[in-house]
Amino acid sequence: MCVRRRREWNTKSGAAPHDGGMKIRTVALAGALLALAACEGGPQSALAPAGTDAAQIARIFWVMLIAAAILWIALNGLFAFVTRIHPRPISRRIAETLIIGGGIVLPLILLGTLLTWGLRAMPDQRAPGDGLTVRVGGEQWWWRVEYLPADGGPPVRSANEVRLPAGLRTDIELSAALVIHSFWIPALGGKMDMIPGRVNRMSLAPTEPGTYRGQCAEFCGLSHALMALNAVVLPADEFDAWLSAEAAEADPPDGPGADLFAREGCGGCHAIRGTEWQAQVGPDLTHVGGRTSLAAGILPMTEEALAGWIRNPDAIKPGAEMPGYDHLSPEELTTLARWLMELT
Amino acid sequence: MAERKQLHREFSEELSSLWRIAIAPSVWAIHFVASYGLAAVWCAKWSDATLLGDVSAWRVLICGASVVALGIIGWIGWKAWRQWDFLEDWDYTHPLATEEDRHEFLGHAAFLLAVLSAVGVIATTLPALLISTCT
């Protein structure tokens, strides 16, 4: 009856009554598929895994998606069959078989299997590491980073960037200062919350060297969306060389840059190892010039960006604790930025 | 007056059926709370404790609790299944407002709840079976 009536509409108007809706849906679907395609291969894509854990999660995603699609098509196909293709009464026995089989037994088996399979992956995501531990602490809105070398050497302090050796599993210990954050580098692995007052453990086993983007994944205040970080995966031997260099003290050149740093009281918040400045309020700047990004993953590490940041951090990252230094002349800002860039 | 007495008698007879309906979901609820509470407290206080060789004690305890819960739910389910076809006449429908149909309907409901509760208990147990560590 329904079918016939719809056909009548079609003949009268020359188009289905919900044609506009269909178009919108088609465009929306195409848009969603394009957005999905755009994710593929990006530096922050869970669908372009560069590590064992992310590959496992991507596999789970695809299997679940395909299973859901099959279920959706089967259910709607069945629905179309009984209402459009074969709209006749069916026997009670067949109806009960459909309800019990399709409504209870099949979902139980399918969902039970998928749940079991998905749960089995969880311990792998926290498998013990091969020796190196990286401690990451969430601040508003930046990251404290500390490397505890496999050989038991002293911790190496850094900030706003995580470097990991490829082909090895690294333990990650997560904590937070004041509010909850969440540590997530989609291309390398799953996400885990960082909770004040406790240490959450996870581990990452990157396989492909490269630079990937991480993002705080738990709302943590005004500039939550601007709390990112780069994860740089290096071949194991390069990583060892980098960590040795990172562990070394800075050798900042004397001159107007150092004088400005001292005069403006930057050392009251920031540490530069090897100097008298050892404060731990803000990010460690010992090798700041060697990092791939500035202000926790949101600016390129360039002289101009650094000068702009020092002049007015609040304009770039609203709510940032660091005061602005807009009383410095453009030349002074450039001098200070150039000096900081030399801390590699 | 006689009618009220009759009604009272009919409902009193179904008192055990109401218990039968409530027990399986209650067992599921108690098992759920006990499992999550036990895992949280045990992992916070005695995360290294083991039972049966080197298996974490909390996993063994939760699995043991699941066996007990499934046993109770299975027993209730069997009783409910019998009640669903009370007269063993292979009649599984109960559309009438008669004492027999009411009794069988309550058995039917209790049976379905027992199945659901069993699935719930198994789903609660899966993490204990598959996730082996506290952290």
Side-chain angles (χ1 to χ4, degrees):
Chain A
M1 194 62 186
C2 259
V3 177
R4 202 177 307 142
R5 197 169 294 157
R6 205 182 62 168
R7 280 188 191 138
E8 280 163 15
W9 276 330
N10 286 353
T11 352
K12 274 180 198 161
S13 64
H18 301 298
D19 226 19
M22 278 295 284
K23 262 184 201 155
I24 292 170
R25 274 202 294 275
T26 313
V27 170
L29 185 67
L33 286 173
L34 271 176
L36 203 62
C39 288
E40 193 80 46
Q44 192 182 310
S45 172
L47 300 180
T52 314
D53 310 278
Q56 192 178 36
I57 291 170
R59 193 162 53 244
I60 290 175
F61 169 77
W62 286 116
V63 170
M64 296 277 178
L65 183 71
I66 291 166
I70 291 172
L71 256 185
W72 189 85
I73 291 167
L75 195 72
N76 282 284
L78 200 61
F79 192 66
F81 182 76
V82 297
T83 57
R84 302 291 165 103
I85 300 165
H86 190 77
R88 267 162 249 160
I90 49 175
S91 73
R92 189 183 174 89
R93 181 166 287 275
I94 293 179
E96 280 180 352
T97 309
L98 274 178
I99 291 169
I100 294 169
I104 299 174
V105 179
L106 181 70
L108 263 184
I109 294 172
L110 204 63
L111 295 180
T113 310
L114 287 175
L115 175 66
T116 308
W117 180 66
L119 278 173
R120 284 178 71 90
M122 289 184 74
D124 297 344
Q125 302 276 321
R126 294 192 300 276
D130 293 317
L132 173 72
T133 300
V134 179
R135 283 187 189 142
V136 185
E139 299 279 340
Q140 281 170 311
W141 295 271
W142 58 280
W143 315 82
R144 288 182 192 276
V145 179
E146 208 172 43
Y147 298 83
L148 280 71
D151 59 12
V156 179
R157 206 172 292 131
S158 182
N160 291 334
E161 184 174 280
V162 170
R163 296 209 181 202
L164 298 168
L168 291 171
R169 186 168 278 280
T170 302
D171 278 309
I172 314 277
E173 290 180 2
L174 303 168
S175 59
L178 285 176
V179 298
I180 300 177
H181 303 269
S182 189
F183 181 78
W184 192 26
I185 305 163
L188 298 185
K191 116 178 55 155
M192 188 168 281
D193 279 3
M194 313 167 89
I195 312 227
R198 61 171 291 149
V199 175
N200 281 346
R201 246 199 89 247
M202 67 184 287
S203 60
L204 289 173
T207 48
E208 306 286 328
T211 302
Y212 307 97
R213 192 173 185 274
Q215 168 71 43
C216 178
E218 179 73 47
F219 181 72
C220 57
L222 200 55
S223 283
H224 156 68
L226 299 173
M227 183 173 173
L229 86 165
N230 279 346
V232 182
V233 177
L234 299 167
D237 50 343
E238 275 184 44
F239 175 82
D240 290 340
W242 171 83
L243 189 58
S244 306
E246 189 74 5
E249 294 182 340
D251 187 17
D254 291 332
D259 295 342
L260 273 168
F261 192 87
R263 191 187 81 195
E264 295 300 324
C266 307
C269 288
H270 296 283
I272 299 176
R273 290 196 305 279
T275 68
E276 62 188 284
W277 301 303
Q278 296 295 328
Q280 297 297 325
V281 179
D284 187 288
L285 299 180
T286 307
H287 298 290
V288 65
R291 290 180 200 148
T292 55
S293 76
L294 173 66
I298 58 168
L299 291 175
M301 184 53 82
T302 61
E303 213 173 274
E304 298 74 41
L306 200 44
W309 170 260
I310 298 167
R311 195 176 69 80
N312 191 357
D314 195 65
I316 294 165
K317 190 172 276 196
E321 292 283 332
M322 179 168 152
Y325 290 81
D326 51 4
H327 56 278
L328 294 180
S329 69
E331 292 73 31
E332 286 176 319
L333 285 167
T334 306
T335 306
L336 184 53
R338 190 172 299 146
W339 181 77
L340 285 167
M341 289 290 290
E342 285 178 47
L343 299 174
T344 55
Chain B
M1 197 64 187
E3 198 179 324
R4 277 190 67 174
K5 269 193 173 167
Q6 163 81 1
L7 266 177
H8 191 257
R9 186 185 59 77
E10 279 179 18
F11 280 101
S12 301
E13 275 176 5
E14 294 304 337
L15 199 61
S16 60
S17 298
L18 293 177
W19 277 111
R20 204 162 287 157
I21 278 184
I23 284 175
S26 304
V27 169
W28 172 21
I30 292 165
H31 176 269
F32 181 90
V33 172
S35 297
Y36 277 77
L38 182 85
V41 173
W42 203 284
C43 279
K45 291 185 180 293
W46 314 287
S47 61
D48 295 333
T50 55
L51 277 177
L52 306 178
D54 60 350
V55 185
S56 303
W58 62 274
R59 295 175 69 199
V60 178
L61 290 172
I62 288 176
C63 291
S66 303
V67 171
V68 173
L70 286 174
I72 297 171
I73 291 169
W75 177 67
I76 289 288
W78 172 244
K79 302 268 281 183
W81 174 265
R82 297 285 305 274
Q83 184 179 332
W84 185 1
D85 182 23
F86 182 51
L87 299 176
E88 295 198 63
D89 53 3
W90 292 87
D91 170 23
Y92 287 92
T93 58
H94 32 66
L96 303 176
T98 61
E99 276 179 59
E100 185 200 332
D101 275 18
R102 187 180 303 122
H103 191 64
E104 291 194 353
F105 165 74
L106 290 172
H108 187 180
F111 175 74
L112 292 180
L113 281 170
V115 172
L116 181 68
S117 304
V119 173
V121 168
I122 292 168
T124 310
T125 313
L126 278 177
L129 276 176
L130 299 171
I131 299 174
S132 48
T133 58
C134 278
T135 49

